Amino acid sequence: MHNLKDIRNNIDEFKLKIKQRKVDINFDELIDLDKENRIFIQEREKFEQEKKKLSKSKESKNFEKSKELTIQIDRLSDKQQKLKNKLDLILSNIPNIALQDVPVGPDEKSNKIIKKKGEPKKFEFKIKSHIELGRENMSFETATKLSGSRFVVLKNNLALLERALINFMLDIHTKKFGYIEVSPPLIVNENIMFGTGQLPKFKSDQYEILTNSDEENKYLIPTAEVPLTNLMRDSIIEAKKLPLRFVASTPCFRKEAGSYGKDTKGMLRQHQFYKVELVSFTDPENKQEELDRMLSCAEEILKLLKLPYQIVLLSSGDMGFSAEKTFDIEAWIPSENKYREISSCSSCGTFQARRMNTKMKKQ
């Protein structure tokens, strides 16, 4: 989340940068609410100081004045809180600002290919899709009976392959690259989803769990990024302990609310899937270096599997809500004769840290 003071002092830049993110934010309303909010705060503080002075006096008439001031302070506090709630709602829906070297554009057509590795093999026969190859050990029909559309049941060698790939990736990231393996909860609180940017803007994409009316809302995680990043929520991290690097393999749950009819054939855009997630906490001064390192760790998997791939730098309009810079790794899919995104590495700057109240302490 952005600092309101930063927006106030750089309003024109924010208007331009957020427009480049293909998001419509009413900054004029935000600035007006900010001004009004600060006026209420000043008035309340003035009454509080006056009340403090009266409290030092023992005269009975000052007691009545103090009671009147308390009523005025409560009224102002109530009005100010309502204003603050409106401000926070607008702020929470403003995406991160793209870094200077991110291509400016509305969608994936403005993305930039920065690297290709490996040559796609040529075959003299028709390539079968994953659906055709896995027909005996992959059932969408059975999954539909169990859970509805866009789920799959894997068995025998396909279930073994899924588990083997997960273990392979975890071993590489922990033993070769020093990530700390974590087994996090799959159900999180509403404020945890807010911390990484899934809420409030993308609530329609989340699986919310029904609870008793007096309980806080809970959600199935859409990615292990959510619990891994929030491990440091409400924390002050000593700079000398950075970077902190975590990895986890979890099921992920997404409604994919805006993707019906789009790339949903077979195992694409499922409501449930496994993913190995990497998360790093680093000094903001070293964020580019850490992003490059994370990208190389993800690349290593493709290299070891000997899969042709390309790396794409996403445009301002194609990045995720919390990202300030994103690289996609796209693997070559022979049956489709094209590259498809299979991994994504992003820098979020201080955006998520502000939402989670995570701070760094330098010596």
Side-chain angles (χ1 to χ4, degrees):
M1 196 154 70
H2 299 288
N3 187 315
L4 188 52
K5 185 178 179 181
D6 291 339
I7 297 176
R8 191 187 306 142
N9 295 337
N10 304 280
I11 185 64
D12 291 334
E13 180 183 1
F14 266 87
K15 284 182 177 180
L16 174 62
K17 289 291 187 179
I18 297 305
K19 186 178 181 180
Q20 292 173 352
R21 292 300 314 269
K22 211 173 64 172
V23 175
D24 185 24
I25 299 292
N26 190 337
F27 280 102
D28 293 334
E29 180 187 8
L30 179 69
I31 294 300
D32 288 343
L33 286 171
D34 177 39
K35 288 178 181 177
E36 194 174 353
N37 184 54
R38 283 184 288 150
I39 290 172
F40 277 131
I41 291 173
Q42 289 170 0
E43 289 181 356
R44 189 189 66 199
E45 288 176 347
K46 183 181 71 174
F47 287 139
E48 286 173 344
Q49 289 172 1
E50 191 175 341
K51 182 181 174 182
K52 189 175 181 181
K53 289 178 182 177
L54 290 175
S55 67
K56 295 178 182 179
S57 172
K58 294 183 179 180
E59 294 183 32
S60 58
K61 63 177 182 179
N62 288 336
F63 178 72
E64 290 301 318
K65 287 183 180 179
S66 181
K67 284 177 65 177
E68 291 176 8
L69 285 171
T70 298
I71 294 171
Q72 289 178 303
I73 290 169
D74 289 342
R75 285 174 180 169
L76 281 171
S77 295
D78 184 57
K79 289 181 179 179
Q80 192 262 323
Q81 186 59 52
K82 289 177 181 178
L83 269 176
K84 187 177 183 302
N85 290 341
K86 290 181 181 179
L87 270 172
D88 288 344
L89 182 60
I90 297 174
L91 282 171
S92 66
N93 281 282
I94 301 176
N96 206 348
I97 285 179
L99 295 178
Q100 287 297 117
D101 58 343
V102 170
V104 176
D107 51 38
E108 69 275 3
K109 293 178 182 178
S110 300
N111 294 346
K112 181 180 178 183
I113 298 174
I114 63 169
K115 180 180 181 180
K116 287 199 174 198
K117 185 75 175 179
E119 285 293 327
K121 291 182 180 180
K122 295 181 180 180
F123 301 93
E124 296 181 355
F125 52 86
K126 185 179 181 299
I127 305 300
K128 291 183 178 181
S129 69
H130 70 280
I131 303 172
E132 295 170 302
L133 288 170
R135 195 177 301 279
E136 292 184 7
N137 294 310
M138 176 189 299
S139 177
F140 296 99
E141 293 78 11
T142 302
T144 299
K145 292 177 185 178
L146 297 174
S147 307
S149 63
R150 292 165 74 175
F151 290 89
V152 65
V153 172
L154 302 181
K155 60 183 181 181
N156 292 328
N157 287 339
L158 281 185
L160 174 61
L161 176 62
E162 181 178 61
R163 176 162 56 87
L165 283 171
I166 289 170
N167 288 337
F168 165 69
M169 291 185 213
L170 288 173
D171 285 345
I172 293 298
H173 293 314
T174 54
K175 296 176 182 178
K176 187 169 185 176
F177 298 122
Y179 282 84
I180 299 170
E181 185 175 354
V182 177
S183 179
L186 304 182
I187 297 173
V188 294
N189 299 327
E190 188 170 6
N191 58 346
I192 301 304
M193 294 283 278
F194 176 86
T196 43
Q198 275 73 28
L199 295 179
K201 189 173 179 63
F202 303 102
K203 186 172 182 177
S204 62
D205 252 344
Q206 315 308 325
Y207 279 105
E208 187 172 357
I209 298 173
L210 293 177
T211 58
N212 295 329
S213 58
D214 58 339
E215 285 189 73
E216 181 183 356
N217 292 345
K218 296 186 186 298
Y219 296 83
L220 290 172
I221 63 168
T223 164
E225 173 194 348
V226 175
L228 286 183
T229 306
N230 278 279
L231 288 175
M232 296 293 112
R233 181 181 186 83
D234 295 322
S235 298
I236 299 175
I237 310 171
E238 292 183 27
K240 65 182 180 181
K241 293 183 179 179
L242 297 173
L244 293 173
R245 301 180 177 121
F246 301 106
V247 61
S249 168
T250 66
C252 303
F253 306 91
R254 300 180 187 178
K255 286 185 179 178
E256 295 284 0
S259 64
Y260 290 102
K262 178 184 177 183
D263 288 342
T264 57
K265 191 175 182 181
M267 292 180 69
L268 299 177
R269 295 185 183 274
Q270 294 280 284
H271 291 314
Q272 176 186 320
F273 57 94
Y274 279 92
K275 183 157 70 83
V276 174
E277 186 76 28
L278 303 176
V279 165
S280 293
F281 292 86
T282 190
D283 187 320
E285 293 178 4
N286 302 326
K287 63 183 180 181
Q288 183 60 57
E289 179 184 342
E290 187 66 22
L291 177 60
D292 292 340
R293 183 188 188 276
M294 179 182 285
L295 182 61
S296 69
C297 294
E299 275 189 85
E300 184 67 10
I301 301 298
L302 278 294
K303 291 176 182 177
L304 290 170
L305 293 175
K306 298 181 179 179
L307 297 175
Y309 67 91
Q310 65 182 20
I311 297 177
V312 178
L313 177 60
L314 300 194
S315 71
S316 57
D318 198 33
M319 292 193 304
F321 178 80
S322 297
E324 61 180 9
K325 184 176 183 178
T326 297
F327 292 106
D328 273 2
I329 300 179
E330 299 178 344
W332 178 256
I333 309 297
S335 63
E336 299 186 31
N337 198 39
K338 66 179 180 180
Y339 290 95
R340 273 195 176 276
E341 183 243 322
I342 51 88
S343 182
S344 187
C345 296
S346 298
S347 169
C348 296
T350 60
F351 188 80
Q352 290 177 326
R354 289 183 188 278
R355 296 172 79 99
M356 299 186 304
N357 190 34
T358 304
K359 300 175 182 178
M360 181 186 71
K361 180 181 178 182
K362 287 195 173 184
Q363 298 300 323

